[in-house]
Amino acid sequence: MSDRWVIHLPITAPDLLRARIFARTAVRVLVRLTARVEAGGVTVSAEDQQDAHHWVFCDRPLPGGGRCGLSTDHTAHCARRPR
């Protein structure tokens, strides 16, 4: 058995855009509380299509280490956090 457990926390939002915004906000708050939050793995899905996940963060590797913390649809260069 694994030594890690994953928390699935269903929270509803009226549309995909607001679901992504809420997820980003929630992750940024939780990251301040614990380093165990894996922001790059956060996804959202329609309630009746939970097998179709939409990524919340870009999560591309950055030069010099770290991962992009911008939204998946950003047009700026990848960065750790929003400008």
Side-chain angles (χ1 to χ4, degrees):
M1 181 177 243
S2 174
D3 289 338
R4 288 175 25 136
W5 291 83
V6 176
I7 298 169
H8 303 275
L9 181 62
I11 299 172
T12 61
D15 55 49
L16 178 58
L17 174 64
R18 285 184 267 194
R20 283 180 167 160
I21 290 169
F22 188 84
R24 281 194 301 271
T25 303
V27 166
R28 289 183 179 129
V29 169
L30 290 171
V31 163
R32 292 175 185 232
L33 300 175
T34 178
R36 294 189 176 269
V37 175
E38 295 179 18
V42 175
T43 60
V44 297
S45 64
E47 185 173 20
D48 58 348
Q49 293 180 329
Q50 294 186 23
D51 57 333
H53 292 246
H54 301 271
W55 293 102
V56 173
F57 292 99
C58 170
D59 202 41
R60 287 187 189 113
L62 295 172
R67 314 263 303 153
C68 180
L70 302 179
S71 63
T72 56
D73 52 359
H74 71 86
T75 56
H77 294 290
C78 287
R80 288 186 186 271
R81 290 188 261 166
R83 294 179 175 96

